[in-house]
Amino acid sequence: MDGEELTEHETALYDRQIRVWGADAQRRLSKSHILVSGLKGTVVEFCKNIVLAGVGSVTLNDDRLVTEELLSANFLIPLDENVYAGKTLAELCCDSLKDFNPMVRVSVEKGALSNFGVDFFDKFDVVVVSCCSLSTKKSVNEKCRKLSKRMAFYTVDCRDNCGEIFVDLQNYIYSKKKDDETFQCHLDYPSFVEAIAVPWKSLPRRVSKLYLAMRVMEKYEELEGRVPGETSAADLLNVQKLRKELCEAHSVSESQIPDSILQRLLEGRQEFPPVCAIIGGILGQEVIKAISGKGDPLKNFFFFDAMDGKGIIEDISEQKAQG
Amino acid sequence: MASEQHLSAIKGAKVLMVGAGGIGCELLKTLALSGFKDIHIIDMDTIEVSNLNRQFLFRQSHVGESKAKVARDAVLKFRPDISITPYHANVKDPEFNVDFFKQFNVILNGLDNLDARRHVNRLCLAAGVPLIESGTTGFLGQVTVHVKGRTECYECQTKPAPKTYPVCTISSTPSKFVHCIVWAKDLLFAKLFGDKNQQNDLNVRSSNVSSSSQQTEDVFERQIDEDIEQYGRRLYDHVFGYNIELALSNEETWRHRNRPRPIYVKDIIPTELIHENGDLDKDSIIGDSSVSAMATLGLKNPQDLWSLKENSKLFFEALKLFFLKREKEIGNLIFDKDDQLAVEFVTAAANIRASSFGIPLHSLFEAKGIAGNIVHAVATTNAIIAGLIVIEAIKVLQNNVKDYRMTYCLEHPSKKMLLMPVEPFEPNKSCYVCSETPLTLEINTHHSKLRDLVEKIVKAKLGMNLPLIMHGSVLLYEVGDDLEENEVANYAANLEKVLSELPSPITGGTILTVEDLQQELKCSINIKHREQFDEEKEPDGMILFGWTQALAVEKNYNGASTSQATSLNTEEDEELQFIPTQIGKKRKLSDNFITASSDNSCIPKETKIKRKADEVDCNNGNSDYGREKMEQ
Ligand SMILES: [Zn+2]
């Protein structure tokens, strides 16, 4: 592996994880730059995980002023108005994260995510977005794809006691060892736009109901001009109407998206900390895999629902659908 | 739905966490965020540097402080209005008795060793409090729920026991690097620097050669005023040269094995070179634990693979440093993976021995992992497992029995799942812990002593902490602080007696009652006399039925970093392939129970060496070197 060796301090600090992923992976981690936008509980969990793991830098983007609700699943900031009043979420999280691992550079980038140009993203190896609208997800993903280098792009969203991760690693090549032989593996990821355009009819019949329900919610918030997650039980009728339209357009039965799930997604504004820990943990693991090139990355959606306890990978892509 | 329905159950709950390590830190944080108001936490450990990559409540400045206390303070910063009660103590301490456990609604384990887990399981059963058990290693993890009478207890299925090695393999016929490590650590290091009164199998006794024990003992002792170099060369030639020659003289041993090569120092390092060894003066003002032979030799990277010559230099340098810088400790040293010089010495000695036996050499980083039984650990798995524990805890508090699940966290998906829930099993009706099924012990009652029974069965297999053994109404053995002097003497005398010669003789047909008052566990053992035992297959000289020990899977201890990386992958692949194929046969699933988690230890830190008191003879070797896998 190119690059300088780990210092004695790094070897001591990262001892237990080097035993998991090796020194090469640790060196790659220490040179990686990660942008994170939307700092609710799940993303805070994710930040903790990658700062502990020893990435090179983490850049935080979230200009929202801190409120008690935003802190409901946040362990980085004291639940004390005297401390948080007047400061942005990113600023406060930054101070705390720096403390976790002095070897990681943590900084704040102000501004609206959707306003950043293609060049801005060039500084990073990994982009994680959360709490943003459908159109922002799409546009940031497209900007990442315009860069000459390969970017790892993730969206993450937790509502009620379930959550979703989307992964776009573009053309991803990694090596895999089995029985003393090293294989080259190749995965071709669709963009977010391509993935959600896959006709529902062509998806496996037992595809996670959460996948479809999340698309309805996303679309609904987009049409209504809502901030993601700003919904309530009062929206149910309209959401049902949208579900009907979408299901008809895709020629699938409405029973694929039960009312019970929609209700949970509409009402569950408050984050459920155990789910934040689980989704933030899986996302952390995936980002570490993508940077280190070790281990099979998930392709391309992950769902966890505390109701049934399953953590499921769904491959939503055109080839897959046709094959 | 998340919060409202759960909230009242959470708010009124009083929970006990056992362990404030990797899982513990994550768990305490998630419990606090989820609204738990009354949390008690036990951990006997103090914070170490290698914890900081995942035990995120701790900082560099906390190194050396109590995990339980620092974790509490860290969590109160973001949730100041809750109550967290820390105990910097061993969960096996008598203050944590059944009454103590009874005050909680649920117990949450984030432990790293079988011993403490079994202890907590028994207390939970005795107190009738539900237990949520967890473990992680690398990217793998699991959470299980144990509710008395509803689901199986932690011990309904046997767990893989620590791997042990026959003494013969260690002392004369190593075939793997781990054998060389055990030799270097438990024999050579212990002989040179440990308690001189401990028995030690370092000198091979070949049936053809009987060496004067007086003579061999002297080899290991540095003579008064003996030049340290001189001593080192004498020692080196004896253990890596002469002893190998001696072993080679026993032709029978090598008929089906590769013959080892004796190594003498003159062939590796010419005399004059030893004197160029190291540069002691450069850093002569150093404290004990920071003394390093690597540093004085200018060896920088612990992940490098060193040659036989480099390892030999390291051997001499480390030996020299022990005598020059740490002479006072000699005679009392116990191997500790955090003792740099000890790790260097063991690495060097293991590599020289490996070289002699044609076994591939390993880096210090890898050798340390093997010698210290270091478990792989990452923050993400611990965070995920902690989340799953809280989800189960909430179900337990609401008494949603039908929703209880055990969940496996996998590295490679099975049926598209990375997190796989499975319905808990029913209690095992023949479990000696949670159902009172009697055990059967086959033993030679004319030959075995009560001590053998206590050590090999009651402590090692039944995991009792403070056992009491009764035959009818006669107390044969008991431990405790409140015993009279004459009782102590009486029990000590009993220990040395052969079973059939005890005051109340144990013979075939005897039913013994074995009890641990602290764990409130009582079981009956039916004794069956048996004359002969196979020394190879039944090295204990006794067999316990109704309690079947699963065969320990031999682990590859290679780190993931070097050319050996495949071993780690293979090991994990095997485990993972195992899980999905077993889904149909539910019972088997928990054969994969992870008994070592990366995180924190609530029992005293010591290397376990199971040793038979008998004189060791290679052709009749029957003592085992046990290795318990736990993070220390
Ligand atoms: Zn049981």
Side-chain angles (χ1 to χ4, degrees):
Chain A
M1 176 72 196
D2 57 297
E4 59 279 17
E5 288 178 356
L6 297 173
T7 64
E8 219 172 296
H9 179 64
E10 285 171 311
T11 308
L13 177 67
Y14 300 133
D15 184 282
R16 296 304 184 273
Q17 67 198 38
I18 292 173
R19 293 178 194 281
V20 177
W21 52 60
D24 286 351
Q26 190 63 49
R27 276 189 287 268
R28 285 190 202 112
L29 277 173
S30 69
K31 288 180 189 147
S32 63
H33 304 287
I34 299 171
L35 173 70
V36 177
S37 180
L39 296 172
K40 282 188 79 179
T42 310
V43 175
V44 165
E45 284 278 352
F46 165 76
C47 290
K48 170 207 69 190
N49 294 334
I50 55 163
V51 167
L52 289 173
V55 295
S57 76
V58 180
T59 304
L60 307 173
N61 170 250
D62 194 327
D63 295 343
R64 285 180 288 179
L65 290 179
V66 175
T67 61
E68 198 159 323
E69 190 197 316
L70 278 176
L71 292 187
S72 66
N74 190 323
F75 53 87
L76 295 178
I77 306 171
L79 197 60
D80 177 354
E81 212 172 323
N82 298 323
V83 178
Y84 67 66
K87 294 204 180 170
T88 70
L89 208 46
E91 285 168 338
L92 284 162
C93 290
C94 179
D95 294 343
S96 217
L97 281 170
K98 274 180 184 163
D99 222 25
F100 281 6
N101 187 349
M103 282 186 282
V104 179
R105 291 184 303 283
V106 188
S107 61
V108 173
E109 185 72 44
K110 292 208 170 199
L113 182 62
S114 53
N115 294 340
F116 295 135
V118 175
D119 291 346
F120 171 80
F121 294 99
D122 197 33
K123 291 180 278 198
F124 304 101
D125 305 294
V126 176
V127 172
V128 174
V129 305
S130 183
C131 320
C132 72
S133 67
L134 176 59
S135 63
T136 308
K137 279 187 204 172
K138 289 178 182 170
S139 73
V140 173
N141 186 208
E142 292 311 315
K143 284 171 192 164
C144 289
R145 285 190 153 241
K146 286 206 179 94
L147 293 165
S148 52
K149 68 174 179 183
R150 189 186 59 77
M151 297 278 288
F153 173 85
Y154 301 82
T155 71
V156 60
D157 216 336
C158 280
R159 292 170 193 232
D160 193 64
N161 51 3
C162 49
E164 174 186 85
I165 298 173
F166 164 76
V167 184
D168 176 15
L169 299 181
Q170 303 175 26
N171 276 309
Y172 185 67
I173 295 162
Y174 64 106
S175 58
K176 191 172 166 178
K177 275 184 181 151
K178 197 158 195 182
D179 306 330
D180 274 348
E181 273 182 85
T182 306
F183 299 76
Q184 282 278 315
C185 298
H186 175 235
L187 287 174
D188 199 5
Y189 285 76
S191 71
F192 187 68
V193 172
E194 287 161 352
I196 63 172
V198 173
W200 294 359
K201 188 92 184 130
S202 65
L203 297 174
R205 201 173 48 82
R206 300 191 61 182
V207 72
S208 171
K209 292 185 166 40
L210 264 175
Y211 169 72
L212 302 177
M214 285 298 287
R215 304 289 76 79
V216 175
M217 293 295 299
E218 216 168 50
K219 188 90 191 163
Y220 179 76
E221 286 167 351
E222 170 103 332
L223 292 171
E224 295 277 310
R226 302 278 178 89
V227 174
E230 289 243 310
T231 51
S232 70
D235 295 304
L236 186 60
L237 270 178
N238 290 329
V239 171
Q240 284 168 328
K241 209 187 287 170
L242 180 62
R243 170 183 64 187
K244 190 161 186 279
E245 287 170 33
L246 289 172
C247 287
E248 276 169 5
H250 281 282
S251 332
V252 298
S253 155
E254 276 187 71
S255 65
Q256 289 279 11
I257 314 173
D259 280 349
S260 56
I261 293 190
L262 290 179
Q263 268 163 344
R264 280 170 59 202
L265 297 181
L266 282 170
E267 293 171 36
R269 293 188 50 167
Q270 188 99 354
E271 290 177 289
F272 186 46
V275 173
C276 297
I278 292 165
I279 296 283
I282 297 279
L283 182 61
Q285 235 150 266
E286 287 306 314
V287 167
I288 289 164
K289 278 189 217 168
I291 297 169
S292 64
K294 290 212 168 181
D296 299 315
L298 69 81
K299 178 169 182 277
N300 54 345
F301 279 88
F302 176 81
F303 297 93
F304 175 76
D305 189 347
M307 294 291 273
D308 62 12
K310 288 179 187 166
I312 293 183
I313 298 171
E314 293 286 1
D315 186 349
I316 313 276
S317 50
E318 196 63 49
Q319 312 96 294
K320 181 81 184 182
Q322 285 164 354
Chain B
M1 86 128 256
S3 20
E4 279 113 66
Q5 280 161 278
H6 300 152
L7 222 56
S8 62
I10 291 173
K11 269 188 177 157
K14 183 171 183 178
V15 304
L16 174 66
M17 289 177 51
V18 190
I23 294 174
C25 280
E26 294 287 341
L27 182 57
L28 186 61
K29 170 259 299 166
T30 304
L31 286 172
L33 291 177
S34 302
F36 283 82
K37 302 267 181 233
D38 191 359
I39 307 167
H40 292 237
I41 181 163
I42 304 178
D43 197 312
M44 70 180 290
D45 272 0
T46 53
I47 296 158
E48 292 173 22
V49 171
S50 63
N51 301 148
L52 303 177
N53 78 320
R54 63 196 186 286
Q55 300 178 16
F56 75 100
L57 298 174
F58 310 143
R59 302 285 173 273
Q60 187 77 41
S61 61
H62 296 134
V63 169
E65 292 181 51
S66 153
K67 285 188 176 180
K69 290 179 178 164
V70 174
R72 168 191 183 269
D73 295 346
V75 168
L76 289 182
K77 280 188 185 148
F78 62 85
R79 284 297 176 272
D81 54 338
I82 68 172
S83 160
I84 303 174
T85 312
Y87 304 86
H88 183 205
N90 188 334
V91 70
K92 291 175 88 174
D93 288 346
E95 57 177 308
F96 306 119
N97 55 17
V98 174
D99 284 336
F100 175 84
F101 274 70
K102 274 184 178 157
Q103 63 181 308
F104 300 103
N105 300 98
V106 63
I107 312 293
L108 312 172
N109 265 1
L111 281 165
D112 71 333
N113 68 85
L114 193 61
D115 224 27
R117 283 188 165 108
R118 299 209 293 189
H119 187 82
V120 173
N121 179 47
R122 290 159 192 203
L123 282 159
C124 287
L125 287 167
V129 181
L131 167 67
I132 297 173
E133 175 60 72
S134 66
T136 66
T137 174
F139 292 118
L140 303 175
Q142 87 216 346
V143 174
T144 53
V145 186
H146 307 280
V147 181
K148 193 178 181 178
R150 300 272 192 175
T151 70
E152 63 178 8
C153 84
Y154 178 68
E155 294 173 271
C156 274
Q157 292 170 65
T158 52
K159 306 293 180 290
K163 178 72 187 156
T164 61
Y165 302 98
V167 71
C168 237
T169 308
I170 300 305
S171 66
S172 28
T173 56
S175 57
K176 294 180 174 168
F177 189 68
V178 61
H179 302 150
C180 301
I181 286 283
V182 175
W183 175 86
K185 183 178 77 157
D186 293 348
L187 299 187
L188 187 62
F189 182 86
K191 181 81 187 175
L192 296 176
F193 307 119
D195 183 352
K196 301 281 186 252
N197 298 319
Q198 286 281 318
Q199 264 190 295
N200 193 298
D201 306 317
L202 191 57
N203 272 310
V204 186
R205 274 158 226 250
S206 154
S207 44
N208 304 345
V209 186
S210 63
S211 44
S212 148
S213 74
Q214 183 56 46
Q215 247 177 346
T216 48
E217 283 309 302
D218 288 345
V219 175
F220 298 102
E221 287 295 323
R222 184 181 170 197
Q223 305 304 312
I224 299 156
D225 293 334
E226 185 178 15
D227 176 57
I228 182 79
E229 304 281 359
Q230 183 62 37
Y231 167 63
R233 295 178 78 92
R234 196 160 56 77
L235 187 72
Y236 187 107
D237 285 349
H238 181 81
V239 293
F240 301 116
Y242 173 74
N243 267 1
I244 302 289
E245 302 267 17
L246 205 62
L248 279 169
S249 66
N250 189 349
E251 288 297 330
E252 192 59 32
T253 312
W254 311 107
R255 187 164 290 170
H256 305 292
R257 290 184 175 94
N258 290 328
R259 297 168 66 89
R261 171 176 70 101
I263 300 176
Y264 290 98
V265 63
K266 65 176 175 1
D267 303 326
I268 307 301
I269 313 172
T271 322
E272 61 278 14
L273 272 178
I274 289 196
H275 295 290
E276 292 171 17
N277 231 1
D279 187 356
L280 269 182
D281 299 330
K282 212 161 52 185
D283 40 342
S284 51
I285 357 159
I286 23 180
D288 281 354
S289 58
S290 63
V291 178
S292 160
M294 264 176 81
T296 53
L297 288 177
L299 293 168
K300 290 244 159 48
N301 189 347
Q303 310 215 21
D304 283 347
L305 212 51
W306 298 321
S307 65
L308 173 59
K309 187 171 171 179
E310 285 168 316
N311 275 294
S312 300
K313 284 183 175 182
L314 188 67
F315 177 87
F316 288 116
E317 189 68 13
L319 185 74
K320 187 161 81 184
L321 287 173
F322 267 118
F323 277 93
L324 294 181
K325 304 276 178 180
R326 298 174 59 179
E327 195 160 16
K328 281 196 201 105
E329 298 168 66
I330 293 173
N332 303 309
L333 279 164
I334 295 169
F335 177 82
D336 176 351
K337 67 161 173 50
D338 295 316
D339 179 341
Q340 173 68 18
L341 195 58
V343 170
E344 290 168 344
F345 180 83
V346 165
T347 302
N351 274 326
I352 300 165
R353 186 166 173 83
S355 178
S356 178
F357 283 85
I359 297 166
L361 307 196
H362 286 63
S363 72
L364 181 124
F365 180 81
E366 294 166 317
K368 178 178 170 178
I370 301 167
N373 299 320
I374 297 174
V375 177
H376 315 130
V378 284
T380 49
T381 316
N382 289 334
I384 295 165
I385 288 301
L388 293 168
I389 294 173
V390 176
I391 290 173
E392 289 310 315
I394 294 169
K395 293 181 202 167
V396 166
L397 292 172
Q398 294 179 303
N399 208 19
N400 283 341
V401 182
K402 64 170 180 29
D403 291 335
Y404 294 170
R405 293 290 180 274
M406 18 193 222
T407 308
Y408 295 87
C409 179
L410 311 175
E411 187 177 4
H412 307 292
S414 161
K415 296 182 177 170
K416 300 199 299 186
M417 278 184 271
L418 275 180
L419 300 174
M420 191 173 71
V422 178
E423 279 185 37
F425 303 136
E426 306 229 304
N428 175 0
K429 292 197 176 59
S430 56
C431 171
Y432 75 95
V433 179
C434 69
S435 74
E436 283 160 12
T437 308
L439 299 157
T440 300
L441 178 67
E442 288 185 359
I443 190 165
N444 186 329
T445 55
H446 304 308
H447 194 261
S448 295
K449 293 175 179 167
L450 184 63
R451 176 183 295 284
D452 300 328
L453 183 96
V454 170
E455 296 296 331
K456 291 176 184 168
I457 302 296
V458 179
K459 288 192 177 163
K461 293 209 161 47
L462 302 182
M464 289 190 177
N465 200 22
L466 301 170
L468 175 154
I469 301 175
M470 283 181 39
H471 179 198
S473 58
V474 182
L475 256 173
L476 294 173
Y477 181 69
E478 190 181 4
V479 268
D481 302 332
D482 52 349
L483 300 178
E484 301 290 335
E485 241 171 74
N486 62 327
E487 289 176 313
V488 174
N490 186 22
Y491 295 139
N494 279 353
L495 279 182
E496 304 313 323
K497 286 184 182 149
V498 168
L499 298 179
S500 59
E501 290 161 14
L502 282 161
S504 172
I506 300 176
T507 56
T510 297
I511 298 174
L512 287 181
T513 304
V514 184
E515 196 172 352
D516 187 305
L517 295 176
Q518 191 193 357
Q519 299 175 347
E520 292 199 3
L521 173 66
K522 189 172 175 178
C523 38
S524 303
I525 304 180
N526 298 328
I527 302 293
K528 263 192 182 168
H529 174 77
R530 183 173 141 192
E531 206 58 43
Q532 294 288 331
F533 289 89
D534 185 322
E535 276 153 359
E536 277 290 309
K537 290 180 192 144
E538 303 160 333
D540 282 344
M542 56 186 85
I543 310 248
L544 186 67
F545 294 93
W547 181 95
T548 39
Q549 177 162 353
L551 280 176
V553 182
E554 187 154 350
K555 296 275 183 185
N556 288 306
Y557 287 99
N558 298 304
S561 54
T562 65
S563 55
Q564 305 292 332
T566 46
S567 318
L568 179 76
N569 295 338
T570 312
E571 178 192 310
E572 295 191 345
D573 285 347
E574 275 168 8
E575 285 194 58
L576 286 160
Q577 283 160 6
F578 197 51
I579 292 175
T581 57
Q582 296 292 352
I583 289 177
K585 313 174 235 167
K586 282 186 182 173
R587 266 288 149 197
K588 283 281 183 185
L589 197 73
S590 41
D591 287 354
N592 289 289
F593 264 69
I594 296 160
T595 52
S597 103
S598 41
D599 303 295
N600 107 47
S601 166
C602 282
I603 67 157
K605 297 178 169 184
E606 56 185 349
T607 314
K608 291 218 165 165
I609 302 175
K610 287 184 202 148
R611 199 188 176 291
K612 190 160 174 146
D614 299 355
E615 182 73 358
V616 173
D617 177 316
C618 181
N619 298 318
N620 186 20
N622 45 11
S623 63
D624 284 354
Y625 288 86
R627 317 179 61 238
E628 180 144 349
K629 202 175 180 205
M630 65 177 80
E631 180 185 302
Q632 296 186 338

